[in-house]
Amino acid sequence: MTRPALLSLDDALPQLLAQAYALATSQSVSTFEADGRVLAHDVTSALQVPPQDNSSMDGYALRTADCAHAGAVLRVTQRIPAGTHGTQLNGGEAARIFTGAPIPPGADAVVMQEDCEALEGDHVKVNKAVPAGQWIRRSGEDVTRGATVLNKGTRLTPAELGLAASIGLAQLQVSARPRVALFSTGDELVMPGDVAPDAMPAGAIYNSNRFFLRAMLQRLGCEVTDLGIVPDKREATLAALRDAAQYHDLILTSGGVSVGEEDHIKPAVESLGALNLWQLAIKPGKPFAFGKVNREAGGNACHFMGLPGNPVSSFVTFLLLVRPFVLALQGATQTDIARTEMTAHFDWPRADKRREFLRVKRNAQGGLDLFPNQSSGVLTSAVWGDGVVDNPAGQTIAKGDTVRFISFAEWLA
Ligand code: AMP
Ligand code: MG
């Protein structure tokens, strides 16, 4: 019997995203609290930014007709600090002005104070010829009234919060947080803190996946229900999935999704809903599963994603598949991650049938070094590394080759 070819990542991802219809609900949050959330509507501006022409220097506002040549002497008739506004400026006059203050009517340029000399009796000598428009920030040069400044589906970062505030928005309408139920499977798992390292029973290991999966979900704007460790038992697995499906948008599990007798996740999902895809041609991360678990009340089923138990497999499949999925649930337009072309400073002589994600680190020479142990159980590789090389199936790498690099900093943001 020939085994069917594994599904490629490029085939799997669109199938997954096609299921990730955006959650219907949105909510209004304080602009202060909106970092990382996804905009549910376009944001348009009700005003110009800056609101009026204003000075970008501390100095003097003047009429350039008076200052065609260096050495003009003007009478200082007004003083305009930021937060106030001036009055009509006439020929032969200057206004003392400060950064951010509106340009008074009649003035058409600013000269910085370093280019002037204050004279006796409220006069100023301008030591340079002044071109029209100098040091004036124009009304609307940042934002014009009526313009769409932020688009629906944008994942907000600090710069966007500042821009929203600059047009007067104290609240923003964002997509609801996906409700994600997280659980780990594996009878060998022990929680840090429950058993001291020197008292660990034979065969036990600490649950590491739970920590990074929860943190990554939270970074991506999810509301996480952490259901802890579910025993490797058919009934317990069924009960955990059935319960979690009722009040969550997504169930995310780690472990128990391979083909061993102790792997109960796959048959449980099949009996409670459907498994849409299972096993991908990627390394690490082959035993990835995607499907749904029906709800008692009917309606839309709860999405299900099962990650492999090996920590690096779990970590990488989360970033490749869960990350875009939960962003799509929030209506984010940008769900993919940039690959940058970089130079390998290592050899990878054995091609694999599967597309590989090799843990690497940028070096001072602008190239990439490889972590020596690429085993899917070695989480140190993800800590030492600052990203992965996305290496096509069947591809060897020789020192000096151009490879595609994904940065953890961007991927985890
Ligand atoms: P599994 O996918 O359940 O067959 O697990 C594969 C490997 O990953 C086994 O060596 C497990 O002990 C390990 N593993 C599973 N879950 C976790 C976890 N939450 N934290 C650390 N290692 C795990
Ligand atoms: Mg297991």
Side-chain angles (χ1 to χ4, degrees), residues 279-349:
Q279 293 198 328
L280 302 180
I282 55 174
K283 189 178 179 180
K286 175 176 145 189
F288 170 82
F290 174 67
K292 57 188 178 186
V293 177
N294 295 326
R295 295 191 175 121
E296 274 152 20
N300 288 333
C302 176
H303 298 293
F304 163 80
M305 295 178 112
L307 306 183
N310 274 308
V312 184
S313 309
S314 237
F315 190 78
V316 169
T317 48
F318 182 96
L319 291 171
L320 287 172
L321 297 142
V322 183
R323 177 186 183 276
F325 191 81
V326 298
L327 289 176
L329 286 180
Q330 294 169 78
T333 36
Q334 177 81 35
T335 60
D336 53 351
I337 188 77
R339 270 87 169 157
T340 318
E341 292 200 339
M342 291 197 63
T343 306
H345 285 187
F346 61 88
D347 291 311
W348 186 250

Side-chain angles (χ1 to χ4, degrees), residues 184-186 188-189 205-210 232 254-258 263 287 307-311:
S184 326
T185 72
E188 71 280 30
L189 300 178
I205 59 164
Y206 287 118
N207 185 347
S208 48
N209 299 359
R210 186 175 178 179
D232 287 326
S254 85
V257 79
S258 299
D263 294 325
L307 306 183
N310 274 308

Side-chain angles (χ1 to χ4, degrees), residues 221-242:
C222 299
E223 191 179 289
V224 181
T225 311
D226 188 337
L227 297 170
I229 300 166
V230 173
D232 287 326
K233 302 270 182 310
R234 182 179 148 77
E235 283 314 314
T237 307
L238 284 168
L241 289 170
R242 201 185 295 119

Side-chain angles (χ1 to χ4, degrees), residues 4-343:
L6 296 178
L7 196 63
S8 76
L9 182 63
D10 287 341
D11 287 337
L13 201 51
Q15 283 186 39
L16 227 82
L17 292 178
Q19 304 285 319
Y21 39 84
L23 303 175
T25 47
S26 67
Q27 62 182 134
S28 174
V29 297
S30 158
T31 303
F32 279 123
E33 306 299 327
D35 187 28
R37 303 297 294 273
V38 177
L39 266 185
H41 299 294
D42 286 348
V43 169
T44 55
S45 178
L47 84 172
Q48 303 264 103
V49 182
Q52 315 82 21
D53 290 359
N54 68 88
S55 177
S56 62
M57 287 288 167
D58 294 331
Y60 296 86
L62 44 72
R63 299 162 72 104
T64 51
D66 293 335
C67 299
H69 305 288
V73 174
L74 303 172
R75 193 160 66 86
V76 181
T77 54
Q78 49 182 317
R79 188 171 186 278
I80 319 172
T84 67
H85 58 89
T87 56
Q88 178 67 35
L89 193 86
N90 300 311
E93 296 178 353
R96 182 75 172 112
I97 197 165
F98 299 89
T99 304
I103 304 297
D108 66 348
V110 169
V111 62
M112 62 166 111
Q113 61 195 26
E114 291 84 344
D115 293 334
C116 299
E117 238 171 276
L119 304 177
E120 294 287 293
D122 287 343
H123 281 76
V124 66
K125 185 173 165 209
V126 181
N127 291 330
K128 280 190 178 164
V130 181
Q134 176 174 271
W135 304 128
I136 294 178
R137 302 192 286 217
R138 294 295 174 191
S139 169
E141 77 176 30
D142 188 356
V143 176
T144 53
R145 185 182 291 108
T148 299
V149 295
L150 297 171
N151 291 301
K152 174 181 174 173
T154 299
R155 199 167 157 225
L156 299 167
T157 72
E160 278 97 23
L161 305 190
L163 190 63
S166 80
I167 59 169
L169 299 180
Q171 299 279 128
L172 290 170
Q173 197 69 24
V174 298
S175 303
R177 294 182 183 281
R179 297 162 304 168
V180 182
L182 174 66
F183 65 81
S184 326
T185 72
D187 288 346
E188 71 280 30
L189 300 178
V190 167
M191 281 302 288
D194 285 356
V195 181
D198 58 7
M200 284 286 272
I205 59 164
Y206 287 118
N207 185 347
S208 48
N209 299 359
R210 186 175 178 179
F211 289 81
F212 62 73
L213 292 175
R214 180 150 100 178
M216 293 198 286
L217 285 167
Q218 285 168 341
R219 281 191 178 200
L220 290 166
C222 299
E223 191 179 289
V224 181
T225 311
D226 188 337
L227 297 170
I229 300 166
V230 173
D232 287 326
K233 302 270 182 310
R234 182 179 148 77
E235 283 314 314
T237 307
L238 284 168
L241 289 170
R242 201 185 295 119
D243 289 352
Q246 309 311 319
Y247 302 105
H248 295 93
D249 302 304
L250 169 66
I251 299 170
L252 183 66
T253 65
S254 85
V257 79
S258 299
V259 286
E261 283 158 32
E262 300 295 335
D263 294 325
H264 298 287
I265 290 283
K266 184 173 167 273
V269 172
E270 281 168 329
S271 80
L272 296 173
L275 204 72
N276 296 338
L277 54 94
W278 180 57
Q279 293 198 328
L280 302 180
I282 55 174
K283 189 178 179 180
K286 175 176 145 189
F288 170 82
F290 174 67
K292 57 188 178 186
V293 177
N294 295 326
R295 295 191 175 121
E296 274 152 20
N300 288 333
C302 176
H303 298 293
F304 163 80
M305 295 178 112
L307 306 183
N310 274 308
V312 184
S313 309
S314 237
F315 190 78
V316 169
T317 48
F318 182 96
L319 291 171
L320 287 172
L321 297 142
V322 183
R323 177 186 183 276
F325 191 81
V326 298
L327 289 176
L329 286 180
Q330 294 169 78
T333 36
Q334 177 81 35
T335 60
D336 53 351
I337 188 77
R339 270 87 169 157
T340 318
E341 292 200 339
M342 291 197 63
T343 306

